[in-house]
Amino acid sequence: MPEGELYRSAPLAMEKEWIDYNGHLNMAYYNVVFDRGGDEFLAELGFGPTYAAQRRLTIYTAEVHICYVQEIHLDHLVTVTSQLIDFDGKRLHTYNEIIHVDGWVAATSEVLSLHVDMNGPKVVPFPEDVLPKLAFYRDAHAKLGIPARVGKSIGIKRK
């Protein structure tokens, strides 16, 4: 990844079973798309299937906030961009967008993830050897600024 750029997943095609009776991607499958693209980013950070198999350590999702921006249809091709907003000893804070191949944002997802020992399962600190890559991505992505949707809460604003 060149410095100052978001991580971008491989292109993802929609599957017929994901399309609901309204003719667009069912809300649950936005999460599937985010998960597939996000897994690529986690592997880039060093937390892929090999990490889990060899170390019995992995990443669990603790909280997700999705915003549905524009409909996705069966014939659409998308990628997922990922930005590491921050991390501490046991947690990752990431922001992702589903981007249509034509460049428009279909949805956003803010995620808080936990580093987990699969033998517990229990939340445990990241091993020392993974911290430099996390710091690299956090620092590189910090140059992009914090996306406007990060940290938003759900509610009805009253006048």
Side-chain angles (χ1 to χ4, degrees), residues 22-55:
N22 294 310
H24 59 238
L25 189 66
N26 179 274
M27 64 174 279
Y29 291 102
Y30 281 82
N31 231 342
V32 171
V33 173
F34 277 124
D35 190 53
R36 289 184 179 178
D39 277 353
E40 287 185 35
F41 183 51
L42 288 175
E44 171 66 20
L45 292 174
F47 303 117
T50 302
Y51 181 79
Q54 291 177 352
R55 296 190 184 199

Side-chain angles (χ1 to χ4, degrees), residues 12 14 18 20 24-37 66-73 76 78 80 98 104-109:
L12 300 160
M14 301 305 102
W18 298 355
D20 65 19
H24 59 238
L25 189 66
N26 179 274
M27 64 174 279
Y29 291 102
Y30 281 82
N31 231 342
V32 171
V33 173
F34 277 124
D35 190 53
R36 289 184 179 178
I66 294 178
C67 294
Y68 304 94
V69 180
Q70 194 164 334
E71 292 180 2
I72 299 175
H73 298 277
H76 289 179
V78 301
V80 175
I98 297 175
W104 47 266
V105 176
T108 66
S109 174

Side-chain angles (χ1 to χ4, degrees), residues 46-58 115-119 126-130:
F47 303 117
T50 302
Y51 181 79
Q54 291 177 352
R55 296 190 184 199
R56 300 290 299 151
L57 299 169
T58 194
H115 186 251
V116 172
D117 179 337
M118 296 164 69
N119 296 311
F126 294 112
E128 289 293 321
D129 64 305
V130 303

